[in-house]
Amino acid sequence: MAKIIMGIGASHTTLMNTQWAKVDHLPEAHNFKNALHQASAAMHALKPDLAIVVGSNHFRGHWLDMMSSFAIGVDEIESSGEHGTPKGAQKTSPDNALTIANSLLDQGYDMAFSTRFVIDHGISHAIQYLTLENQIPIVPIMINSFAPPLPRLERCLTLGKAIRIAVETLPDDMTVAIIASGGLSHQLPFPDWRKPKSDNDDFLVDSWKNGRGDWERYEKRRRAIIVNAPPRLNEEFDETFLQALCDGKTEDWLKTISEDTLVETAGNGANELRNWIVMHSAINFATGKTLAYSPMPDWLTGMGVFICEPN
């Protein structure tokens, strides 16, 4: 029976690629990058046959003209390559991806699927630093984190359990790593598309509605809005969440927070914790350890790396 042999949760940021010189003097920046390398080395030492990467979408591959709560790439995977992340075709495993998709459907998850799945740094950051670009075939699963209405937190928890069962339907002796790519506490200047409040909000919503195939037309202003956003971090929140992961208590932690209080406490970027919840549920809430954590206002995000193996 195939099995999940490792789980990783890692924050992502394109600012690490584009503005490294500004943080090169900060030990916490190096600690985060080193933790990514350490997690990657630990995973490669286990030689998984496949990596399921659970990540978010920043309106490069999925748009407001058709947004799904959950989507899986079952054939070609194309990375948009924005801001120094991998660009172009990625290493895939179509047969195994389709097996996982079928199992999730059988379990009541009506996953959207794509035979030409376009990803952005919400997934490709993990490919760049963890699977090391085409060294391990991946199955990408996108969780909608920025285009409300979002999938409910509890639904993400049960999706993780369904993924664990789906992995067990893969060919015998296969080993799988599952990676969550997403931020801890942070606030992106992404408005609720249903109620934009400023000229920049209107611009971003327009880019999300009309950017498919033409996103570079919007990119310069989009980037400026994001890079100049004020940081909003919550170190206490991040540390509490990471400790829950380390203790194998994610389900208990989830009972302490609602959809609304998550955003109020940790910012809209914390909606990406859905990816971490899926990952930890998929590996049955294994205890683990935090390799690095620091609030990083220069990157607008609480930056952490967590790893675990089945208990």
Side-chain angles (χ1 to χ4, degrees), residues 68-268:
S68 57
S69 293
F70 306 117
I72 183 170
V74 297
D75 195 355
E76 299 174 17
I77 301 169
E78 186 80 12
S79 182
S80 58
E82 82 278 20
H83 313 306
T85 52
K87 183 177 177 61
Q90 303 300 307
K91 189 171 185 177
T92 66
S93 183
D95 290 345
N96 292 316
L98 197 54
T99 297
I100 292 171
N102 280 323
S103 176
L104 293 174
L105 285 161
D106 289 342
Q107 296 179 67
Y109 272 89
D110 298 324
M111 301 287 289
F113 72 89
S114 171
T115 59
R116 190 168 293 158
F117 200 73
V118 178
I119 59 174
D120 63 28
H121 72 272
I123 290 176
S124 62
H125 195 273
I127 294 173
Q128 183 174 21
Y129 291 101
L130 293 171
T131 68
L132 305 180
E133 299 190 41
N134 292 325
Q135 292 194 22
I136 301 174
I138 70 160
V139 174
I141 293 179
M142 188 281 291
I143 311 294
N144 174 24
S145 300
F146 292 112
L150 306 180
R152 298 295 177 256
L153 293 167
E154 180 64 28
R155 186 69 169 159
C156 294
L157 189 84
T158 57
L159 174 62
K161 295 177 181 177
I163 290 173
R164 183 170 70 248
I165 293 170
V167 167
E168 292 173 354
T169 68
L170 296 175
D172 285 350
D173 300 327
M174 275 196 69
T175 57
V176 177
I178 183 161
I179 299 170
S181 178
L184 298 170
S185 67
H186 66 299
Q187 179 76 25
L188 291 178
F190 284 4
D192 184 329
W193 65 273
R194 299 166 297 185
K195 43 188 176 183
K197 298 176 180 177
S198 68
D199 181 60
N200 278 346
D201 287 358
D202 287 332
F203 168 79
L204 287 172
V205 172
D206 179 64
S207 75
W208 300 341
K209 287 182 176 178
N210 301 303
R212 187 185 295 278
D214 194 25
W215 65 268
E216 289 182 338
R217 179 162 67 92
Y218 297 94
E219 187 51 32
K220 183 176 181 181
R221 182 173 172 183
R222 280 170 49 127
R223 189 63 173 170
I225 292 171
I226 293 169
V227 170
N228 293 310
R232 177 191 163 191
L233 310 175
N234 186 330
E235 184 173 354
E236 181 180 0
F237 171 89
D238 291 341
E239 291 180 340
T240 298
F241 176 70
L242 289 168
Q243 190 60 54
L245 290 176
C246 291
D247 295 340
K249 302 291 186 181
T250 307
E251 281 189 292
D252 293 338
W253 175 86
L254 198 54
K255 294 174 184 174
T256 69
I257 200 158
S258 68
E259 316 285 334
D260 291 338
T261 55
L262 173 66
V263 173
E264 292 168 3
T265 306
N268 62 358

Side-chain angles (χ1 to χ4, degrees), residues 59 62-67 147-148 193 204-205 208-209 212:
F59 303 99
H62 308 268
W63 305 83
L64 290 180
D65 59 6
M66 179 59 75
M67 182 61 68
W193 65 273
L204 287 172
V205 172
W208 300 341
K209 287 182 176 178
R212 187 185 295 278

